Amino acid sequence: MLEKIIAFSLKNKAVVLLFTASVLGFGLFSVFQISIGAVPDVTNNQVQVITTSRNLSTQDIEQFITYPVEIEMANLPGVEEIRSVSKFGLSVVTIVFNDGIGTYLPRQLIAEKLKSASEKIPEGFGVPEMGPITTGLGEIYQYTLEVKPEYKKQYSVTDLRTLQDWVVKRQLSGIKGVVEINTWGGYLKQYEIAIVPSRLKAMNVTMRDVFTALEKNNSIAGGAYIEKVNQSYFIRGEGKVNSIEDIENIVVNNTNGIPVYIKNVAQVRFSHANRFGAITGNGEGEKVLGQVMMLKDANSKQVISAVKERIAQIQKTLPKGVYINGFLERSELVEKTTFTVAENLILGCLIVIFVVVLLLGNWRSGLVVASVIPLCLLFAISFMNIFGIDANLMSLGAIDFGIIIDGAVIIVEFIAFQIAHKSSDLVSLNKEDRQLQIDQITYKSASKMMNSAVFGQLIILIVFIPILSLTGIEGKMFKPMAMTFSFALLGAMIFCFTYVPVVSSLFLKPKEENPNSISSKLIKKLNSWYLPVITWALHNTKKVLYGAIALLVFAVALFSTMGGEFIPTLDEGDFVIQPVLKTGTSLSKTIATTTKIEKIILKKFPEVLQVVSRIGAAEVPTDPMSMEESDIIVKLKPKEEWVSASSKDELADKIKAAI
């Protein structure tokens, strides 16, 4: 069968070249379409059910909210694990499903159960909602709203929070691939009605009367429409509260024709909602943070680019003196990873090409073999795009070009040898007859060596079968690597049947081997070292076998004493410090502590670009921390600008000591 494919390729060179051009074109298209990330997303298939109840204690949250939600979710099909976190005012229940059930079916099943769960939660205690469709790697862009020094007095933290909620967040919504814009820090502006008990008693008014009056005097109503002189007039009743004065003038009661207003029994003012977290930064006190969360399985590079474009547009709409400071974004890590992968691929490709050209001793043969490398890479990227595999450090970083072109080297080297061996006969023929003879030589040589080439590549493919059978976190981490390598090997095998024989017959020329060339001298030198060793080994087979067994035993013993890790350590280039204060520490005390830490770091270490601290939980608490817990993100300048330390570990130790 393989011989028939080779014969067909040599007889239909235009078809093969057209096929190769198609692979090349689709591969280049896939390069710009494939999702690019840093590492594979190993997050399991989970859905969070979040309930906020701003007044309940931890014990009541667990008893009246978390437990009913857990019970309702326990019998859903495909559930592997249920875990929960109950804190003051907050319940987060995480339901883990098996991966085979998909992303959206679990959410549909949970949505059906949320109604029955809500009925078991006492009225007013909170309404459970599903968290966004994202993962642990979904926090792709984080920014703070900053004020220029000359405008500091014009904007409070409450003003910045209002800008975030009503201007920035709304304009960021609607970007393809963005599932949530989370807000953290600042004060959520609210109307506050502070009732004076003595006035209530004096006016003979109850708390229920106040609540009823507020509820009934803040609504709108429609009255359809009426027709008059060929015109339709739409009727609406506007009763919405628009200001503090509107609230103050709401009538609570009417005694003997004398109205009792809200302002007679309470003080009305602006205030803020209870907070479960805060943001501080650069030792300047509180700030407001926005967190752009990416849809699960979305293309992170495209989403980040779209977010940056929208941020630039939003910047023009902000009030004078306010700007968006994007202090943490995934694109930096993706760019570093992409550069590392690209550097490894390019250097590996160049080294292989150099070695092939040097050892084959024929630059034409070397270029034919080298041309297989980008074709196999583009073939693999094409299938990665089709199967939805991200291009990242694990998937592309493991490709070994030496293994991929092994079959092409065997075939091209033998074809070149046969053509060179019959070069004297070929030179005397005319152009058409010479090409026919070269095609015949190529067919026989490729057919003879094809079995050896395919056999070696099949062995490598078989080795990847255990990796392809992995499940869970291990499967998500290593299967993309095995699949990408398998795609590249499959491409190499296809090109060895088709492209390599065709290009060899067209590109290789009859030329006698030069015994004085560098490659000939190198091969002779290597043979002079190799022949005595192989001769001795053939005459001392028992010694060789015993030595191999001894080496195997030694390797096994050595392997058992070595350390191990799941994946290599990935350095994003920045620090995250996680101070945990005593349980029960107030939010204001945590804010003061993180601000002090920020000042120490910025004062003593010029390597630090900026410091932002995230305290407690965000508005959408996908990572529910307590108010005594915080993440201090330390952004560092480029390493060439460091003066306090020469390595990251040394700098970390000095920062610890300073804090």
Side-chain angles (χ1 to χ4, degrees):
M1 181 180 174
L2 298 180
E3 293 178 359
K4 291 181 180 179
I5 296 174
I6 295 170
F8 174 83
S9 301
L10 290 170
K11 289 179 182 178
N12 300 273
K13 296 185 179 67
V15 175
V16 172
L17 293 176
L18 183 62
F19 163 75
T20 306
S22 301
V23 172
L24 182 65
F26 185 73
L28 292 173
F29 169 77
S30 299
V31 167
F32 296 99
Q33 295 297 317
I34 193 171
S35 178
I36 299 175
V39 292
D41 191 346
V42 298
T43 309
N44 50 24
N45 189 15
Q46 61 177 242
V47 180
Q48 288 183 315
V49 176
I50 301 170
T51 311
T52 302
S53 182
R54 297 186 179 275
N55 303 315
L56 293 184
S57 66
T58 303
Q59 182 177 348
D60 294 333
I61 287 284
E62 175 68 28
Q63 180 179 353
F64 295 110
I65 298 178
T66 302
Y67 181 72
V69 172
E70 286 182 336
I71 291 298
E72 285 297 321
M73 303 302 163
N75 296 323
L76 289 176
V79 173
E80 292 186 346
E81 177 189 4
I82 296 178
R83 59 180 185 269
S84 63
V85 175
S86 298
K87 295 180 179 291
F88 167 73
L90 181 64
S91 166
V92 179
V93 179
T94 303
I95 305 101
V96 180
F97 292 82
N98 62 54
D99 292 327
I101 202 171
T103 300
Y104 296 99
L105 179 58
R107 300 183 68 86
Q108 180 181 342
L109 296 172
I110 289 175
E112 294 172 357
K113 286 288 186 179
L114 281 183
K115 182 174 177 58
S116 56
S118 299
E119 292 173 353
K120 295 182 180 179
I121 298 173
E123 186 178 356
F125 277 27
V127 179
E129 298 177 348
M130 281 187 285
I133 312 171
T134 187
T135 66
L137 295 180
E139 299 174 2
I140 59 169
Y141 191 90
Q142 297 187 45
Y143 61 90
T144 55
L145 289 182
E146 303 282 354
V147 181
K148 295 178 181 178
E150 59 269 27
Y151 296 92
K152 288 284 186 183
K153 295 182 180 179
Q154 296 185 21
Y155 302 99
S156 66
V157 180
T158 304
D159 296 331
L160 295 177
R161 172 62 187 262
T162 304
L163 275 174
Q164 161 64 15
D165 288 339
W166 294 92
V167 178
V168 180
K169 182 175 180 178
R170 291 194 171 200
Q171 293 189 59
L172 278 174
S173 300
I175 298 175
K176 184 179 179 181
V178 172
V179 70
E180 179 72 41
I181 295 93
N182 204 355
T183 301
W184 207 329
Y187 295 95
L188 179 61
K189 193 175 183 180
Q190 290 184 341
Y191 292 110
E192 181 179 271
I193 301 170
I195 294 174
V196 182
S198 59
R199 293 187 186 178
L200 278 181
K201 187 175 181 180
M203 300 289 183
N204 195 25
V205 176
T206 64
M207 290 281 288
R208 173 56 58 188
D209 294 335
V210 176
F211 279 116
T212 303
L214 288 168
E215 183 178 357
K216 290 184 176 180
N217 285 271
N218 184 36
S219 63
I220 58 173
Y225 68 93
I226 60 174
E227 293 184 3
K228 190 174 183 181
V229 193
N230 298 325
Q231 293 287 326
S232 294
Y233 295 90
F234 296 95
I235 303 169
R236 61 191 292 253
E238 181 60 53
K240 293 286 287 183
V241 169
N242 292 314
S243 64
I244 288 178
E245 290 74 20
D246 289 346
I247 299 176
E248 289 178 335
N249 293 322
I250 291 175
V251 177
V252 179
N253 201 353
N254 195 316
T255 306
N256 298 324
I258 301 174
V260 177
Y261 299 102
I262 290 288
K263 62 185 177 184
N264 298 137
V265 297
Q267 295 178 355
V268 184
R269 58 194 177 220
F270 285 120
S271 185
H272 60 84
N274 288 337
R275 303 194 297 166
F276 301 109
I279 298 293
T280 61
N282 299 324
E284 299 172 354
E286 288 201 51
K287 296 183 181 293
V288 175
L289 179 142
Q291 194 176 65
V292 180
M293 308 183 79
M294 183 180 70
L295 179 68
K296 182 180 179 181
D297 297 328
N299 188 327
S300 59
K301 186 178 181 181
Q302 292 180 359
V303 176
I304 293 172
S305 299
V307 169
K308 286 183 175 180
E309 291 177 7
R310 187 69 61 87
I311 289 288
Q313 296 172 10
I314 296 171
Q315 186 65 61
K316 300 174 184 177
T317 67
L318 294 179
K320 196 173 183 180
V322 180
Y323 64 96
I324 297 173
N325 170 34
F327 71 93
L328 195 63
E329 54 178 279
R330 179 70 53 78
S331 61
E332 295 180 3
L333 178 60
V334 171
E335 287 171 3
K336 290 179 182 178
T337 307
T338 305
F339 176 79
T340 301
V341 172
E343 184 182 40
N344 290 343
L345 292 177
I346 292 171
L347 289 177
C349 181
L350 292 175
I351 291 170
V352 169
I353 291 172
F354 172 75
V355 172
V356 166
V357 173
L358 180 65
L359 294 180
L360 291 181
N362 185 329
W363 66 271
R364 287 178 178 269
S365 302
L367 290 178
V368 170
V369 173
S371 65
V372 176
I373 295 176
L375 288 174
C376 291
L377 182 60
L378 291 173
F379 186 88
I381 291 175
S382 299
F383 273 81
M384 290 171 67
N385 186 31
I386 293 171
F387 285 91
I389 301 173
D390 285 359
N392 52 53
L393 193 62
M394 292 299 293
S395 60
L396 284 178
I399 291 182
D400 187 342
F401 293 123
I403 295 175
I404 289 172
I405 65 167
D406 185 45
V409 170
I410 295 172
I411 295 170
V412 173
E413 193 273 340
F414 192 67
I415 293 172
F417 172 77
Q418 293 294 333
I419 292 175
H421 184 67
K422 299 179 180 179
S423 60
S424 57
D425 297 333
L426 293 171
V427 171
S428 61
L429 299 174
N430 59 50
K431 189 175 182 180
E432 292 183 1
D433 292 338
R434 185 190 308 147
Q435 186 61 53
L436 288 173
Q437 286 296 318
I438 291 176
D439 287 352
Q440 191 65 24
I441 293 171
T442 302
Y443 168 72
K444 291 181 179 179
S445 302
S447 300
K448 185 174 181 179
M449 302 305 296
M450 195 65 243
N451 290 334
S452 301
V454 171
F455 182 72
Q457 291 167 334
L458 284 176
I459 289 175
I460 298 168
L461 284 174
I462 292 170
V463 169
F464 282 116
I465 291 176
I467 300 177
L468 292 171
S469 64
L470 293 175
T471 58
I473 294 177
E474 297 86 353
K476 292 181 179 180
M477 181 63 71
F478 296 110
K479 278 177 70 175
M481 177 269 294
M483 292 178 70
T484 303
F485 208 120
S486 299
F487 293 151
L489 273 176
L490 181 63
M493 294 170 66
I494 293 173
F495 289 127
C496 285
F497 304 150
T498 57
Y499 169 78
V500 170
V502 170
V503 176
S504 298
S505 68
L506 293 175
F507 199 60
L508 298 184
K509 301 298 180 183
K511 182 181 178 182
E512 292 186 4
E513 184 179 352
N514 183 6
N516 295 320
S517 64
I518 296 175
S519 60
S520 297
K521 292 180 180 179
L522 180 61
I523 294 298
K524 287 179 181 178
K525 189 66 177 176
L526 292 174
N527 277 332
S528 67
W529 295 340
Y530 172 70
L531 285 174
V533 175
I534 190 66
T535 302
W536 178 87
L538 292 173
H539 287 89
N540 298 272
T541 52
K542 290 185 178 180
K543 293 180 181 179
V544 173
L545 290 174
Y546 292 151
I549 294 171
L551 282 174
L552 177 63
V553 172
F554 175 73
V556 171
L558 188 64
F559 179 77
S560 63
T561 61
M562 293 174 63
E565 57 184 9
F566 184 59
I567 57 171
T569 302
L570 299 176
D571 184 7
E572 295 188 30
D574 300 317
F575 287 123
V576 175
I577 304 170
Q578 294 179 309
V580 180
L581 305 183
K582 187 173 67 173
T583 302
T585 302
S586 66
L587 182 59
S588 57
K589 176 61 177 176
T590 307
I591 291 171
T593 304
T594 57
T595 303
K596 188 174 182 180
I597 291 174
E598 292 162 5
K599 289 179 178 179
I600 292 171
I601 293 173
L602 288 169
K603 182 180 179 181
K604 295 191 175 183
F605 301 97
E607 296 86 354
V608 176
L609 185 63
Q610 56 179 322
V611 187
V612 176
S613 302
R614 305 186 310 186
I615 303 168
E619 191 171 282
V620 180
T622 54
D623 182 15
M625 296 191 299
S626 300
M627 290 183 286
E628 65 269 7
E629 299 174 325
S630 57
D631 290 336
I632 300 178
I633 301 168
V634 182
K635 285 283 294 179
L636 300 176
K637 295 177 181 177
K639 201 165 184 178
E640 54 268 17
E641 299 181 25
W642 290 14
V643 294
S644 302
S646 57
S647 68
K648 195 174 178 183
D649 290 338
E650 183 184 354
L651 183 61
D653 292 337
K654 290 186 176 182
I655 290 177
K656 288 178 186 177
I659 293 175

mmCIF file of all heavy atoms in Angstrom, residues 300-329:
data_model
loop_
_atom_site.group_PDB
_atom_site.id
_atom_site.type_symbol
_atom_site.label_atom_id
_atom_site.label_comp_id
_atom_site.label_asym_id
_atom_site.label_seq_id
_atom_site.Cartn_x
_atom_site.Cartn_y
_atom_site.Cartn_z
ATOM 1 N N SER A 300 -7.874 33.203 25.073
ATOM 2 C CA SER A 300 -7.399 34.241 25.988
ATOM 3 C C SER A 300 -6.701 35.386 25.262
ATOM 4 O O SER A 300 -6.879 36.558 25.616
ATOM 5 C CB SER A 300 -6.452 33.630 27.029
ATOM 6 O OG SER A 300 -5.335 33.021 26.404
ATOM 7 N N LYS A 301 -5.929 35.081 24.230
ATOM 8 C CA LYS A 301 -5.217 36.139 23.513
ATOM 9 C C LYS A 301 -6.192 37.091 22.836
ATOM 10 O O LYS A 301 -6.044 38.317 22.923
ATOM 11 C CB LYS A 301 -4.269 35.527 22.479
ATOM 12 C CG LYS A 301 -3.394 36.562 21.789
ATOM 13 C CD LYS A 301 -2.435 35.928 20.808
ATOM 14 C CE LYS A 301 -1.547 36.990 20.154
ATOM 15 N NZ LYS A 301 -0.614 36.399 19.166
ATOM 16 N N GLN A 302 -7.205 36.565 22.172
ATOM 17 C CA GLN A 302 -8.185 37.410 21.495
ATOM 18 C C GLN A 302 -9.011 38.210 22.492
ATOM 19 O O GLN A 302 -9.309 39.386 22.270
ATOM 20 C CB GLN A 302 -9.102 36.554 20.623
ATOM 21 C CG GLN A 302 -8.402 35.928 19.418
ATOM 22 C CD GLN A 302 -9.349 35.088 18.575
ATOM 23 O OE1 GLN A 302 -10.522 34.945 18.895
ATOM 24 N NE2 GLN A 302 -8.839 34.522 17.489
ATOM 25 N N VAL A 303 -9.378 37.583 23.614
ATOM 26 C CA VAL A 303 -10.187 38.277 24.620
ATOM 27 C C VAL A 303 -9.404 39.424 25.240
ATOM 28 O O VAL A 303 -9.928 40.538 25.404
ATOM 29 C CB VAL A 303 -10.661 37.293 25.707
ATOM 30 C CG1 VAL A 303 -11.407 38.036 26.809
ATOM 31 C CG2 VAL A 303 -11.562 36.228 25.114
ATOM 32 N N ILE A 304 -8.137 39.176 25.573
ATOM 33 C CA ILE A 304 -7.319 40.236 26.172
ATOM 34 C C ILE A 304 -7.139 41.398 25.202
ATOM 35 O O ILE A 304 -7.215 42.573 25.594
ATOM 36 C CB ILE A 304 -5.950 39.668 26.609
ATOM 37 C CG1 ILE A 304 -6.120 38.676 27.759
ATOM 38 C CG2 ILE A 304 -5.021 40.794 27.048
ATOM 39 C CD1 ILE A 304 -4.865 37.921 28.116
ATOM 40 N N SER A 305 -6.909 41.098 23.938
ATOM 41 C CA SER A 305 -6.764 42.157 22.930
ATOM 42 C C SER A 305 -8.038 42.993 22.840
ATOM 43 O O SER A 305 -7.977 44.232 22.779
ATOM 44 C CB SER A 305 -6.434 41.544 21.565
ATOM 45 O OG SER A 305 -5.218 40.837 21.600
ATOM 46 N N ALA A 306 -9.198 42.306 22.854
ATOM 47 C CA ALA A 306 -10.472 43.032 22.791
ATOM 48 C C ALA A 306 -10.686 43.883 24.040
ATOM 49 O O ALA A 306 -11.186 45.011 23.958
ATOM 50 C CB ALA A 306 -11.619 42.039 22.620
ATOM 51 N N VAL A 307 -10.297 43.362 25.201
ATOM 52 C CA VAL A 307 -10.439 44.118 26.453
ATOM 53 C C VAL A 307 -9.558 45.365 26.420
ATOM 54 O O VAL A 307 -9.994 46.463 26.813
ATOM 55 C CB VAL A 307 -10.090 43.225 27.667
ATOM 56 C CG1 VAL A 307 -9.961 44.065 28.934
ATOM 57 C CG2 VAL A 307 -11.142 42.151 27.863
ATOM 58 N N LYS A 308 -8.335 45.228 25.956
ATOM 59 C CA LYS A 308 -7.435 46.381 25.896
ATOM 60 C C LYS A 308 -7.965 47.461 24.957
ATOM 61 O O LYS A 308 -7.868 48.664 25.251
ATOM 62 C CB LYS A 308 -6.037 45.927 25.444
ATOM 63 C CG LYS A 308 -5.254 45.179 26.508
ATOM 64 C CD LYS A 308 -3.865 44.849 25.990
ATOM 65 C CE LYS A 308 -3.016 44.212 27.058
ATOM 66 N NZ LYS A 308 -1.661 43.874 26.574
ATOM 67 N N GLU A 309 -8.513 47.045 23.827
ATOM 68 C CA GLU A 309 -9.098 48.018 22.898
ATOM 69 C C GLU A 309 -10.258 48.760 23.551
ATOM 70 O O GLU A 309 -10.390 49.981 23.416
ATOM 71 C CB GLU A 309 -9.568 47.310 21.630
ATOM 72 C CG GLU A 309 -8.439 46.781 20.753
ATOM 73 C CD GLU A 309 -8.957 46.026 19.538
ATOM 74 O OE1 GLU A 309 -10.193 46.036 19.323
ATOM 75 O OE2 GLU A 309 -8.136 45.420 18.823
ATOM 76 N N ARG A 310 -11.119 48.008 24.273
ATOM 77 C CA ARG A 310 -12.267 48.640 24.916
ATOM 78 C C ARG A 310 -11.810 49.565 26.056
ATOM 79 O O ARG A 310 -12.403 50.629 26.269
ATOM 80 C CB ARG A 310 -13.214 47.563 25.444
ATOM 81 C CG ARG A 310 -14.531 48.074 26.001
ATOM 82 C CD ARG A 310 -15.447 48.636 24.919
ATOM 83 N NE ARG A 310 -15.797 47.623 23.939
ATOM 84 C CZ ARG A 310 -16.826 46.785 24.082
ATOM 85 N NH1 ARG A 310 -17.595 46.842 25.169
ATOM 86 N NH2 ARG A 310 -17.100 45.903 23.139
ATOM 87 N N ILE A 311 -10.769 49.149 26.794
ATOM 88 C CA ILE A 311 -10.246 49.986 27.879
ATOM 89 C C ILE A 311 -9.771 51.327 27.331
ATOM 90 O O ILE A 311 -10.011 52.394 27.929
ATOM 91 C CB ILE A 311 -9.093 49.268 28.611
ATOM 92 C CG1 ILE A 311 -9.613 48.093 29.450
ATOM 93 C CG2 ILE A 311 -8.312 50.240 29.499
ATOM 94 C CD1 ILE A 311 -10.366 48.486 30.690
ATOM 95 N N ALA A 312 -9.089 51.297 26.180
ATOM 96 C CA ALA A 312 -8.618 52.544 25.557
ATOM 97 C C ALA A 312 -9.789 53.451 25.194
ATOM 98 O O ALA A 312 -9.703 54.682 25.321
ATOM 99 C CB ALA A 312 -7.785 52.223 24.321
ATOM 100 N N GLN A 313 -10.909 52.874 24.754
ATOM 101 C CA GLN A 313 -12.088 53.672 24.424
ATOM 102 C C GLN A 313 -12.751 54.222 25.685
ATOM 103 O O GLN A 313 -13.188 55.382 25.717
ATOM 104 C CB GLN A 313 -13.088 52.818 23.646
ATOM 105 C CG GLN A 313 -12.573 52.337 22.289
ATOM 106 C CD GLN A 313 -13.524 51.344 21.634
ATOM 107 O OE1 GLN A 313 -14.644 51.142 22.090
ATOM 108 N NE2 GLN A 313 -13.068 50.715 20.558
ATOM 109 N N ILE A 314 -12.828 53.402 26.730
ATOM 110 C CA ILE A 314 -13.459 53.833 27.980
ATOM 111 C C ILE A 314 -12.673 54.974 28.613
ATOM 112 O O ILE A 314 -13.251 55.897 29.197
ATOM 113 C CB ILE A 314 -13.574 52.644 28.957
ATOM 114 C CG1 ILE A 314 -14.503 51.563 28.389
ATOM 115 C CG2 ILE A 314 -14.081 53.090 30.312
ATOM 116 C CD1 ILE A 314 -14.508 50.276 29.178
ATOM 117 N N GLN A 315 -11.352 54.920 28.480
ATOM 118 C CA GLN A 315 -10.500 55.949 29.076
ATOM 119 C C GLN A 315 -10.915 57.354 28.623
ATOM 120 O O GLN A 315 -10.850 58.321 29.392
ATOM 121 C CB GLN A 315 -9.041 55.676 28.701
ATOM 122 C CG GLN A 315 -8.025 56.586 29.382
ATOM 123 C CD GLN A 315 -7.987 56.388 30.876
ATOM 124 O OE1 GLN A 315 -7.680 55.306 31.366
ATOM 125 N NE2 GLN A 315 -8.320 57.425 31.622
ATOM 126 N N LYS A 316 -11.391 57.463 27.388
ATOM 127 C CA LYS A 316 -11.781 58.770 26.847
ATOM 128 C C LYS A 316 -13.081 59.284 27.461
ATOM 129 O O LYS A 316 -13.364 60.487 27.389
ATOM 130 C CB LYS A 316 -11.943 58.667 25.327
ATOM 131 C CG LYS A 316 -10.674 58.238 24.603
ATOM 132 C CD LYS A 316 -10.948 58.006 23.117
ATOM 133 C CE LYS A 316 -9.707 57.480 22.405
ATOM 134 N NZ LYS A 316 -9.966 57.188 20.967
ATOM 135 N N THR A 317 -13.874 58.384 28.051
ATOM 136 C CA THR A 317 -15.166 58.784 28.606
ATOM 137 C C THR A 317 -15.109 59.082 30.102
ATOM 138 O O THR A 317 -16.109 59.532 30.667
ATOM 139 C CB THR A 317 -16.210 57.677 28.367
ATOM 140 O OG1 THR A 317 -15.854 56.508 29.135
ATOM 141 C CG2 THR A 317 -16.273 57.302 26.895
ATOM 142 N N LEU A 318 -13.969 58.817 30.745
ATOM 143 C CA LEU A 318 -13.872 59.022 32.191
ATOM 144 C C LEU A 318 -13.717 60.506 32.516
ATOM 145 O O LEU A 318 -13.206 61.287 31.708
ATOM 146 C CB LEU A 318 -12.686 58.240 32.748
ATOM 147 C CG LEU A 318 -12.779 56.712 32.665
ATOM 148 C CD1 LEU A 318 -11.520 56.077 33.227
ATOM 149 C CD2 LEU A 318 -14.000 56.201 33.419
ATOM 150 N N PRO A 319 -14.136 60.908 33.710
ATOM 151 C CA PRO A 319 -13.974 62.313 34.113
ATOM 152 C C PRO A 319 -12.497 62.716 34.135
ATOM 153 O O PRO A 319 -11.599 61.883 34.244
ATOM 154 C CB PRO A 319 -14.580 62.342 35.516
ATOM 155 C CG PRO A 319 -15.448 61.145 35.603
ATOM 156 C CD PRO A 319 -14.839 60.111 34.723
ATOM 157 N N LYS A 320 -12.279 64.003 34.068
ATOM 158 C CA LYS A 320 -10.922 64.532 34.040
ATOM 159 C C LYS A 320 -10.179 64.149 35.318
ATOM 160 O O LYS A 320 -10.682 64.325 36.426
ATOM 161 C CB LYS A 320 -10.976 66.054 33.897
ATOM 162 C CG LYS A 320 -9.665 66.679 33.473
ATOM 163 C CD LYS A 320 -9.846 68.154 33.180
ATOM 164 C CE LYS A 320 -8.535 68.772 32.683
ATOM 165 N NZ LYS A 320 -8.701 70.215 32.394
ATOM 166 N N GLY A 321 -8.971 63.624 35.136
ATOM 167 C CA GLY A 321 -8.143 63.255 36.284
ATOM 168 C C GLY A 321 -8.238 61.798 36.681
ATOM 169 O O GLY A 321 -7.427 61.314 37.467
ATOM 170 N N VAL A 322 -9.220 61.055 36.146
ATOM 171 C CA VAL A 322 -9.390 59.634 36.475
ATOM 172 C C VAL A 322 -8.878 58.790 35.309
ATOM 173 O O VAL A 322 -9.150 59.100 34.147
ATOM 174 C CB VAL A 322 -10.868 59.302 36.758
ATOM 175 C CG1 VAL A 322 -11.028 57.824 37.101
ATOM 176 C CG2 VAL A 322 -11.399 60.168 37.893
ATOM 177 N N TYR A 323 -8.132 57.738 35.616
ATOM 178 C CA TYR A 323 -7.634 56.854 34.572
ATOM 179 C C TYR A 323 -7.631 55.402 35.063
ATOM 180 O O TYR A 323 -7.695 55.130 36.270
ATOM 181 C CB TYR A 323 -6.228 57.259 34.122
ATOM 182 C CG TYR A 323 -5.156 57.144 35.184
ATOM 183 C CD1 TYR A 323 -4.348 56.001 35.271
ATOM 184 C CD2 TYR A 323 -4.935 58.168 36.100
ATOM 185 C CE1 TYR A 323 -3.357 55.886 36.235
ATOM 186 C CE2 TYR A 323 -3.953 58.069 37.070
ATOM 187 C CZ TYR A 323 -3.163 56.926 37.135
ATOM 188 O OH TYR A 323 -2.194 56.812 38.094
ATOM 189 N N ILE A 324 -7.575 54.481 34.103
ATOM 190 C CA ILE A 324 -7.586 53.040 34.400
ATOM 191 C C ILE A 324 -6.157 52.531 34.422
ATOM 192 O O ILE A 324 -5.405 52.698 33.457
ATOM 193 C CB ILE A 324 -8.419 52.279 33.350
ATOM 194 C CG1 ILE A 324 -9.882 52.735 33.402
ATOM 195 C CG2 ILE A 324 -8.330 50.778 33.568
ATOM 196 C CD1 ILE A 324 -10.734 52.173 32.291
ATOM 197 N N ASN A 325 -5.792 51.899 35.516
ATOM 198 C CA ASN A 325 -4.443 51.342 35.681
ATOM 199 C C ASN A 325 -4.525 49.820 35.602
ATOM 200 O O ASN A 325 -4.896 49.153 36.563
ATOM 201 C CB ASN A 325 -3.860 51.786 37.030
ATOM 202 C CG ASN A 325 -2.566 51.047 37.372
ATOM 203 O OD1 ASN A 325 -1.782 50.711 36.493
ATOM 204 N ND2 ASN A 325 -2.349 50.794 38.659
ATOM 205 N N GLY A 326 -4.213 49.257 34.427
ATOM 206 C CA GLY A 326 -4.223 47.803 34.267
ATOM 207 C C GLY A 326 -2.948 47.214 34.834
ATOM 208 O O GLY A 326 -1.939 47.099 34.142
ATOM 209 N N PHE A 327 -2.988 46.827 36.107
ATOM 210 C CA PHE A 327 -1.763 46.417 36.797
ATOM 211 C C PHE A 327 -1.456 44.927 36.636
ATOM 212 O O PHE A 327 -0.318 44.495 36.846
ATOM 213 C CB PHE A 327 -1.850 46.771 38.282
ATOM 214 C CG PHE A 327 -2.813 45.935 39.071
ATOM 215 C CD1 PHE A 327 -2.381 44.799 39.732
ATOM 216 C CD2 PHE A 327 -4.146 46.282 39.151
ATOM 217 C CE1 PHE A 327 -3.263 44.019 40.456
ATOM 218 C CE2 PHE A 327 -5.045 45.513 39.875
ATOM 219 C CZ PHE A 327 -4.604 44.381 40.523
ATOM 220 N N LEU A 328 -2.441 44.129 36.283
ATOM 221 C CA LEU A 328 -2.183 42.692 36.164
ATOM 222 C C LEU A 328 -2.988 42.147 34.994
ATOM 223 O O LEU A 328 -4.211 42.252 34.976
ATOM 224 C CB LEU A 328 -2.591 41.964 37.449
ATOM 225 C CG LEU A 328 -2.079 40.536 37.634
ATOM 226 C CD1 LEU A 328 -0.566 40.528 37.715
ATOM 227 C CD2 LEU A 328 -2.676 39.901 38.885
ATOM 228 N N GLU A 329 -2.297 41.582 34.002
ATOM 229 C CA GLU A 329 -2.986 41.052 32.836
ATOM 230 C C GLU A 329 -2.314 39.774 32.371
ATOM 231 O O GLU A 329 -1.101 39.611 32.485
ATOM 232 C CB GLU A 329 -3.014 42.081 31.710
ATOM 233 C CG GLU A 329 -1.646 42.618 31.324
ATOM 234 C CD GLU A 329 -1.748 43.607 30.172
ATOM 235 O OE1 GLU A 329 -1.835 43.134 29.034
ATOM 236 O OE2 GLU A 329 -1.745 44.817 30.421
#
